[in-house]
Amino acid sequence: MGIDLLGLDEDALRLVLSHLNRADVHRLSWASYSLRVVLQPQVLKDVTLSSSFHQVVAFCGYMLNDAHEFLHFLHALRIRPLMEVPEQRARLTPEHSDEDLKRGTALFADLLQHIPTLHVLSLHHAEVWMHYEPRLVTSIASLPQLQELELTDMGPQVADTLRALCSAPTKLTLAKPAQGVQSMPHTWRMDPTGLSLPSVRVLVAKVRFLPGAPDLARIFPNVREVDFGDGPDTYFPVPIIVGGQTQGAERVRVVRWPSVEVVHGTGTGLRN
């Protein structure tokens, strides 16, 4: 005996559809307008865009122009397409012009300003996005309900974003771009001046140059878990404490970070 989904009341329909995975829910939502209205909150609760910059631009346009009434359902947004570094244009054939990228990143900044309910944001190549649209610094910093924030491709504008955060995220991920993807062409060390994020309990720090132990412990005083990643190149300066008063006193590296309970990292990374 078949089931007439459209004949069910809305509560029963939501219960039946709750057993589907996200991909099936998304496909089914286009079967009819009635199903789309019911399923849209489930489809938009957690969105990951990873295929192309064009996909991100199309999503932003759709949400702002055609699905504005569903914006408050969007709680998690992960943006993971490859962003082309501006300085690479001389030797690469660009898929998008600078003007295309500026218009697209501006549209993304507009979208963020319309989703104050966002709890999770992941933006890969954040410094590149902010190069094309500086408004993203304030758009991200102004989100009031962020609980998890991931930014890759560290640079000055990412640091400015962290300094201006209005939210109190409990998990923060700072990472270099994916292996094989060139970052913005600069060597940059995170400036700890003015940084203070006491709400963070889980810190994922997979960047090359971190502030030293005293600064990192001051910035994240309540962190319980730190993950330095599975690479060997994390550089996290730890002061050397000389014990005893004798000439041959032992020199020991010491991290004074009382709140930390768990540390993840490779042997080489932790040694460095």
Side-chain angles (χ1 to χ4, degrees):
M1 182 179 66
I3 298 177
D4 179 11
L5 289 177
L6 298 179
L8 298 174
D9 64 62
E10 188 169 312
D11 289 338
L13 182 58
R14 289 184 190 278
L15 180 61
V16 171
L17 298 176
S18 67
H19 296 282
L20 300 178
N21 61 42
R22 289 180 61 247
D24 289 339
V25 168
H26 181 72
R27 285 191 289 267
L28 186 59
S29 69
W30 291 100
S32 74
Y33 177 78
S34 299
L35 284 175
R36 185 155 66 250
V37 170
V38 174
L39 290 173
Q40 202 76 329
Q42 191 173 342
V43 171
L44 293 175
K45 184 177 181 180
D46 190 328
V47 175
T48 297
L49 304 172
S50 58
S51 64
S52 68
F53 180 74
H54 173 75
Q55 181 194 38
V56 177
V57 175
F59 175 78
C60 293
Y62 168 72
M63 294 303 301
L64 288 170
N65 298 319
D66 302 319
H68 198 274
E69 69 273 24
F70 297 123
L71 282 170
H72 64 283
F73 293 123
L74 187 55
H75 287 175
L77 179 59
R78 298 174 177 86
I79 308 294
R80 295 172 178 168
L82 171 64
M83 283 291 286
E84 186 179 323
V85 176
E87 283 73 6
Q88 290 178 315
R89 294 194 178 280
R91 39 183 215 281
L92 294 179
T93 301
E95 181 182 354
H96 305 281
S97 68
D98 278 354
E99 289 305 314
D100 288 339
L101 292 171
K102 289 176 182 177
R103 283 193 293 268
T105 52
L107 196 62
F108 179 52
D110 292 340
L111 176 64
L112 290 181
Q113 292 174 349
H114 286 82
I115 45 175
T117 56
L118 201 63
H119 293 164
V120 179
L121 175 64
S122 173
L123 180 59
H124 286 213
H125 310 287
E127 197 72 24
V128 183
W129 282 83
M130 293 169 184
H131 167 85
Y132 287 108
E133 179 48 85
R135 280 193 305 126
L136 280 169
V137 172
T138 53
S139 295
I140 296 173
S142 300
L143 291 169
Q145 297 186 35
L146 281 182
Q147 298 171 5
E148 296 184 20
L149 176 61
E150 178 183 23
L151 300 172
T152 79
D153 187 18
M154 292 297 298
Q157 294 181 104
V158 168
D160 287 343
T161 304
L162 296 178
R163 289 189 184 93
L165 278 182
C166 294
S167 57
T170 57
K171 181 177 181 179
L172 176 65
T173 298
L174 304 173
K176 63 183 181 179
Q179 187 174 3
V181 177
Q182 183 177 347
S183 173
M184 294 289 285
H186 55 66
T187 300
W188 183 80
R189 182 187 299 277
M190 180 191 292
D191 180 3
T193 305
L195 277 173
S196 179
L197 294 162
S199 64
V200 176
R201 298 295 186 271
V202 178
L203 173 64
V204 182
K206 301 179 181 180
V207 290
R208 179 69 178 92
F209 296 108
L210 293 169
D215 282 322
L216 212 61
R218 175 191 59 77
I219 296 168
F220 304 102
N222 299 313
V223 159
R224 297 290 185 265
E225 181 177 344
V226 183
D227 184 355
F228 290 118
D230 55 5
D233 58 350
T234 297
Y235 183 71
F236 170 53
V238 177
I240 296 178
I241 307 299
V242 179
Q245 303 297 322
T246 63
Q247 186 174 1
E250 183 180 5
R251 297 163 62 85
V252 180
R253 294 189 180 274
V254 176
V255 179
R256 303 193 186 281
W257 205 347
S259 65
V260 171
E261 299 172 354
V262 179
V263 177
H264 303 278
T266 63
T268 302
L270 294 176
R271 184 187 66 208
N272 291 340

